[in-house]
Amino acid sequence: VLSLRGILPPIPTPFKLDESIDFEHLRSNLERWNEWPLVGYVVGGSNGEAVALSAEERIELVAVARESIPERKLLLAGAGLESTRGTTSLAQKMSAVGADAVIVVTPSYYGPRLDQAAFVAHYTRVADESPLPVVLYNVPPYTDLDLPVPAVAQLAAHPNVIGIKESGGSVAKIAAMVDQTQDDFQVLAGSAGFLLGALAVGAVGCVPATGCIAARSIHELIEAFDRGDLAAARDLQAGLIEPNIAVTSRFGVAGLKAAMDLIGLYGGPVRSPLQPLSAEESAQLEQVLRQASIS
Amino acid sequence: VLSLRGILPPIPTPFKLDESIDFEHLRSNLERWNEWPLVGYVVGGSNGEAVALSAEERIELVAVARESIPERKLLLAGAGLESTRGTTSLAQKMSAVGADAVIVVTPSYYGPRLDQAAFVAHYTRVADESPLPVVLYNVPPYTDLDLPVPAVAQLAAHPNVIGIKESGGSVAKIAAMVDQTQDDFQVLAGSAGFLLGALAVGAVGCVPATGCIAARSIHELIEAFDRGDLAAARDLQAGLIEPNIAVTSRFGVAGLKAAMDLIGLYGGPVRSPLQPLSAEESAQLEQVLRQASIS
Amino acid sequence: VLSLRGILPPIPTPFKLDESIDFEHLRSNLERWNEWPLVGYVVGGSNGEAVALSAEERIELVAVARESIPERKLLLAGAGLESTRGTTSLAQKMSAVGADAVIVVTPSYYGPRLDQAAFVAHYTRVADESPLPVVLYNVPPYTDLDLPVPAVAQLAAHPNVIGIKESGGSVAKIAAMVDQTQDDFQVLAGSAGFLLGALAVGAVGCVPATGCIAARSIHELIEAFDRGDLAAARDLQAGLIEPNIAVTSRFGVAGLKAAMDLIGLYGGPVRSPLQPLSAEESAQLEQVLRQASIS
Amino acid sequence: VLSLRGILPPIPTPFKLDESIDFEHLRSNLERWNEWPLVGYVVGGSNGEAVALSAEERIELVAVARESIPERKLLLAGAGLESTRGTTSLAQKMSAVGADAVIVVTPSYYGPRLDQAAFVAHYTRVADESPLPVVLYNVPPYTDLDLPVPAVAQLAAHPNVIGIKESGGSVAKIAAMVDQTQDDFQVLAGSAGFLLGALAVGAVGCVPATGCIAARSIHELIEAFDRGDLAAARDLQAGLIEPNIAVTSRFGVAGLKAAMDLIGLYGGPVRSPLQPLSAEESAQLEQVLRQASIS
């Protein structure tokens, strides 16, 4: 099974001022990130503004990213769409352009009708038909629903479902998922905010937006945890709280891009209807990064 | 300004057993509906499973529907996507295939970051660039957000924004929108469940899923209201409550399609991850329709 | 059956600066309200800050209010507590101090465990043991739950349950409740914001916070509706939207009390943890009232 | 500062069949619990059905419990009410009957108006006037609101505020609270479900419903964590997940009481409107306990 152990930041999709994809800056960002302690990347996920891209753009994005991502680093391609058939089709195309695995967000538009059986049916068909291993992706802040633990437990038994990115923030749920799935099912913390808690109950890696700007601290946290130095891990975790909030719940993708601009990567504009940070928000973000010594 | 007065049911997209679009049954359904008291149709909206269709499918769906929809009946094409630029592009294509107007659901994935300013920016750009008149579309049960009244009031002043489909169920909000917009801004009830209340405060029409199966009752309700016979209107409204719940919040699109099958239209399968009704749900639906004398 | 037809404002409980109940101003307010077109009052409800009063205070409040409320006007006493036995006991005491009926908010603390059966059990026992007729009270903005229609339909069959104050804002739900209960079950709109819609589907009265400051407009709305003049009713409804929002969802009880102060009634302070309006909020409130010609 | 390190289960209030407090079984339960590895108890909290008790009952409950709780074990008395003045008064009475500290749930009825300033004002006054140290208590599943971290950080500076019971389940929030408060501010996990994650980021103790039936496992978990044996801690955590869900979110207080009955403590009936478990729920609970070897 493909190992997802470590840090896999969900990278933003860079845009030019006209909101078209800026492939040149995609490459330059990746070149820099390739030197960081990352085991790979999620390309075309929530932080990649995947919902604002056409299917064609999503495929091209992965194809181009692959050119700059060496083989030894993983490329997880976002392949979730609202329909099962669309997701399956996209997963097949992601395989063709060099992704190592697909990460598939829960459908959510018809949330009130999406029960456990619907999710099991959806992901089972995707896993059956995807040539690439499948990582489940649960992100309640965006989908307003929560993939239930029993559905995860059932899906984990599928040979082509290798893990889950859990962004809901409940460490109790992570503990339950680790406990109710076989040993090689890999649970990834979807954020650096609850990483230490997640590691403590058995998560093996993370897909943190903060990894795009502060991978070193996250890496040190994991290393401290692995060697049993919880005091150090706790200090590192504390230092990540505010930056993490800033580039996720507080300022969203626009905040993450602005933070990248501030530290010399290319963030650039977001696609409308997302809006850039106001001057006041930018100042607050800058202060948070400064206090966290992120530069 | 294009008049939206009357009933514009949001029609389901018929699928074959393999989940591909069944254009033949689209035509046969429309032929039958054309004889009903409808002023037009919404094609490719929430009940049309638009989020489960590709952009190409959405355009073809509208093109084929137009062939079966006479000029004297309106075709409102769903054109909402998560990005402003995608929405604008889709609106332009809907114009090319014969739609009379576009109806644009609020983007919602990045809900926590979508404030009033974001919605005003989004819809203003869509209205600027759409060759067709724009109808706003607010549907909290699916989007988990609520387009704020001040945003609607501001957008209503745009010459190319002609109305809103409001599916949130708050008649107080409908009253506020009617009051805070100019006289020719048209508020449409998004459901038959609160139609009479909406008419009472100034809504001029409706986009009810129930219109696909019980347009006559809805039409009679509106006629009773228009001639001041509130007692009759209230009786008709009461009779619509349970069928309306059955084909919306309770059983969703699968319920609407099953109801269509029961009355001799073609409903057919839903696209996964939506699931067909269970046997028990089907029996409950059948009973609701029978009690409401819908056949 | 006791008729609840008309306007029954939920009056605030006046406090002195030290937050003790100000009975003198309770009397002076009632003397003025007694000249308004009101059929009665709700004393010790949500707007009466009942949850912030002790049981003893709630009883004394009703006793003193009764002295200033003539027999021809109704006194509905808030008697809801989180426990069934506490509610029953309080209802009995409200009878002893002269209330005409009790109004009983849904328990809500253990919301996740309160299903339809729990509500039916609760209200049935309260209705069995209360010497006074019982009015159900559903207020989702405060309780974060919604009393289900089937529970209401079942409870309406109890001879001692005479109606419901519905503050959830769904006119579809009001229509369903009117339809599924016998003719003498009385549905009251819990707010002036959706009053016209509620009347259209069969509500017979209202318990509006706005009734404490603008009973005349509400009265005229009901009269216009009763004589079939929907255009006039709609205009009056429109004029009530903003003041209603100001004294409910926007500024809460503190807003209602501040509005009373502005028009020459006694509003006075709220009990902590409720906080008085800020200077900016006060200015906004004043403007809303001025634009609505409430003085 | 009073040390809250360890396990402080929130004990249920035993009732007789007529729903009056059963003090005899209160004593017999405590006698048994006194032999368990507990540092103390929360009496009259959410699991004690405090909202269903009168203020007089709450005080008597604490007075009687104190008689059976030796001095070396802590008694934290629930003292939260919806009003600040009521809370303060209750805290003073809890002091008189022998409590060691008070635990004060956030007011919540007027949730939409309770912002950070309101909470700071509320708790500051309570802490100023309470003769006993104050523990904050945040429980979103019941209150539908979340005490914000900045409010906690500000309140932690008050010399009479010694800690918080956090039941929201966000370990990121716990990490933030630990980080933003002085060293002697004590954060307690409000549930055994996320205990290990909470300990990892600096929580010092817990107030778990599961502590009433499975204190030994929790104690072993904490000991394993303290000696750095994370593998053992993780196994113990895994074993607590299902029992914890059963006696909290799934079956609530009725589930906790039924579990106590099953293991030879006295659970007894809940107060209406809470309902006893159905036969099917009881069987499910029994199976969960059996699988977790709780007896």
Side-chain angles (χ1 to χ4, degrees), chain D residues 47-118:
Chain D
N47 282 290
E49 294 173 72
V51 295
L53 304 178
S54 68
E56 293 71 28
E57 286 179 316
R58 291 170 72 170
I59 297 160
E60 189 179 6
L61 180 74
V62 168
V64 174
R66 180 79 271 183
E67 296 168 8
S68 300
I69 299 175
E71 268 193 34
R72 65 190 156 78
K73 291 202 187 253
L74 294 178
L75 192 169
L76 269 60
L81 282 169
E82 284 289 333
S83 75
T84 308
R85 59 175 4 223
T87 303
T88 297
S89 167
L90 194 50
Q92 288 162 346
K93 288 166 184 158
M94 290 309 183
S95 175
V97 293
D100 296 304
V102 287
I103 178 164
V104 178
V105 68
T106 57
S108 64
Y109 191 77
Y110 299 110
R113 286 293 292 174
L114 296 178
D115 56 11
Q116 190 169 320

Side-chain angles (χ1 to χ4, degrees), chain C residues 45-66:
Chain C
S46 295
N47 282 291
E49 293 173 73
V51 294
L53 305 178
S54 68
E56 294 69 31
E57 285 179 316
R58 291 171 71 170
I59 296 160
E60 188 178 8
L61 180 75
V62 168
V64 173
R66 180 79 271 182

Side-chain angles (χ1 to χ4, degrees), chain B residues 30-242:
Chain B
L30 283 167
E31 277 162 27
R32 187 148 157 220
W33 281 324
N34 282 334
E35 297 168 14
W36 292 15
L38 306 169
V39 301
Y41 307 92
V42 167
V43 179
S46 296
N47 282 291
E49 293 173 74
V51 293
L53 304 178
S54 69
E56 294 69 31
E57 285 180 316
R58 290 170 73 169
I59 297 160
E60 188 179 6
L61 180 75
V62 168
V64 173
R66 181 79 269 182
E67 295 168 9
S68 299
I69 299 174
E71 269 194 33
R72 64 191 157 77
K73 293 203 187 250
L74 294 177
L75 193 169
L76 270 60
L81 282 169
E82 283 290 333
S83 75
T84 309
R85 62 177 358 226
T87 304
T88 298
S89 166
L90 194 51
Q92 288 162 347
K93 288 167 185 159
M94 290 308 184
S95 174
V97 294
D100 296 303
V102 287
I103 178 164
V104 178
V105 69
T106 57
S108 63
Y109 190 77
Y110 298 109
R113 286 293 295 172
L114 297 178
D115 57 11
Q116 190 169 320
F119 286 123
V120 168
H122 173 71
Y123 280 114
T124 298
R125 204 163 115 194
V126 171
D128 282 348
E129 300 183 22
S130 166
L132 297 175
V134 172
V135 177
L136 313 175
Y137 175 25
N138 183 53
V139 58
Y142 289 144
T143 61
D144 293 293
L145 58 79
D146 192 32
L147 187 63
V149 172
V152 176
Q154 195 174 336
L155 290 164
H158 191 291
N160 206 27
V161 175
I162 65 170
I164 185 168
K165 173 184 180 186
E166 173 60 53
S167 295
S170 166
V171 165
K173 187 188 177 190
I174 291 178
M177 291 191 294
V178 170
D179 184 49
Q180 295 175 27
T181 55
Q182 73 279 19
D183 282 358
D184 62 359
F185 185 77
Q186 302 170 83
V187 179
L188 309 177
S191 156
F194 52 88
L195 176 57
L196 179 51
L199 292 172
V201 298
V204 301
C206 56
V207 184
T210 322
C212 298
I213 55 167
R216 188 150 307 279
S217 295
I218 298 172
H219 184 66
E220 288 172 4
L221 189 168
I222 296 174
E223 286 194 324
F225 176 82
D226 283 345
R227 68 175 182 267
D229 186 352
L230 273 183
R234 194 175 303 149
D235 281 352
L236 287 155
Q237 176 67 81
L240 285 163
I241 295 288
E242 288 301 318

Side-chain angles (χ1 to χ4, degrees), chain C residues 11-227:
Chain C
I11 66 170
T13 301
F15 296 122
K16 298 179 189 169
L17 283 181
D18 68 357
E19 294 191 12
S20 64
I21 300 182
D22 183 341
F23 290 109
E24 194 172 336
H25 277 118
L26 174 65
R27 289 191 190 92
S28 64
N29 282 343
L30 282 167
E31 277 162 28
R32 185 146 158 221
W33 280 325
N34 282 335
E35 296 168 15
W36 292 14
L38 306 170
V39 301
Y41 306 92
V42 167
V43 179
S46 295
N47 282 291
E49 293 173 73
V51 294
L53 305 178
S54 68
E56 294 69 31
E57 285 179 316
R58 291 171 71 170
I59 296 160
E60 188 178 8
L61 180 75
V62 168
V64 173
R66 180 79 271 182
E67 295 169 9
S68 300
I69 299 175
E71 269 194 32
R72 64 189 158 77
K73 292 203 188 253
L74 295 176
L75 192 169
L76 270 61
L81 282 169
E82 284 290 333
S83 75
T84 308
R85 59 175 4 225
T87 304
T88 298
S89 167
L90 195 50
Q92 288 162 346
K93 288 167 185 159
M94 291 308 183
S95 174
V97 294
D100 296 303
V102 287
I103 178 163
V104 178
V105 68
T106 56
S108 63
Y109 190 77
Y110 299 110
R113 286 294 293 173
L114 296 178
D115 57 11
Q116 191 169 318
F119 285 123
V120 168
H122 173 72
Y123 280 114
T124 298
R125 203 163 116 196
V126 171
D128 282 348
E129 300 183 23
S130 166
L132 296 176
V134 172
V135 177
L136 313 175
Y137 175 25
N138 183 52
V139 57
Y142 289 143
T143 61
D144 293 293
L145 56 79
D146 192 32
L147 187 62
V149 171
V152 175
Q154 196 174 335
L155 290 164
H158 192 292
N160 206 27
V161 175
I162 64 170
I164 184 169
K165 174 184 179 185
E166 173 59 52
S167 296
S170 165
V171 165
K173 187 188 177 191
I174 291 177
M177 292 192 293
V178 169
D179 183 49
Q180 295 174 27
T181 55
Q182 73 279 18
D183 281 357
D184 61 0
F185 183 77
Q186 302 170 83
V187 179
L188 310 178
S191 155
F194 51 88
L195 176 56
L196 178 52
L199 293 171
V201 297
V204 301
C206 56
V207 184
T210 322
C212 298
I213 55 167
R216 188 150 308 277
S217 294
I218 298 172
H219 183 66
E220 288 172 4
L221 189 169
I222 296 174
E223 286 194 324
F225 177 82
D226 283 345
R227 70 174 181 267

